[in-house]
Amino acid sequence: MGNGRPDDFHRDGGRRRLPCRGALGYIGREDFLTDRIVPLLSAQQIADRVRDLGAAITRDYRNLSLVMVCVLEGSFVFTADLARAVSVPLRVEFLGVRSYGQGTSSSGVVQITHDLQNPIEGEDVLLVEDIVDTGLTIAHLLELLRTRLPRSIKVCTLLHKPARSATPVPIDYLGFTIDDRFVVGYGLDRAEAYRNLPYIGVIEAA
Ligand code: IMP
Ligand code: MG
């Protein structure tokens, strides 16, 4: 049974309260220790869905020049798995964004913290997001990247919360539709914590 190692945290869905040895600069250590994470999507459910998305992207991009744009930080885990589920040649680029939103809500005013390293003109861009919530971030990024004249641009998001939609955004590849709950894990954070959970869950205060 659990002896307080991070392994247990990963295995049991965060049910046990564990001492955490990581540097948690942004979230109270006490919160981290006492938050209960209720699993919503298991690692297996995510893996199955990512495999299907990869197969669909492989079919659609067979004769195209695919550039996956990983929207940092949240989609680093998803992009890593998705890229390996796609079997056509591709390039991966990283786009760092910071939203000026208050608390857990996005304003849609997006600061680019890390830009693409290569041009995308004439390329077939696939924006890879962890979650489309209000849709404001992705709408802004689509507008920005279109000015760089890609041949095509599509959106792949692991999660979508339609209840919070503030602007219509085209989603070409979708992992899961979820209710209006704040989720963490598999790259998604709350105050920079929980990105390393291998599943997606909802935080329940102790
Ligand atoms: P949007 O602009 O409202 O669509 O928000 C997009 C960004 O907000 C995502 O890329 C996430 O970084 C963050 N976000 C929205 N909902 C959640 C959530 O439930 N958990 C963690 N991050 C979220
Ligand atoms: Mg994000």
Side-chain angles (χ1 to χ4, degrees), residues 71-75 97 129-131 137 187-189 195:
V71 182
L72 297 172
E73 277 86 18
S75 83
V97 303
E129 256 289 21
D130 50 0
I131 185 165
T137 302
L188 291 136
D189 73 305
R195 293 194 198 274

Side-chain angles (χ1 to χ4, degrees), residues 24 53 57 62 70 164 172 181 196 205:
L24 293 169
L53 291 172
I57 292 165
R62 205 166 284 286
C70 169
R164 304 231 327 145
D172 302 281
R181 316 277 297 275
N196 58 327

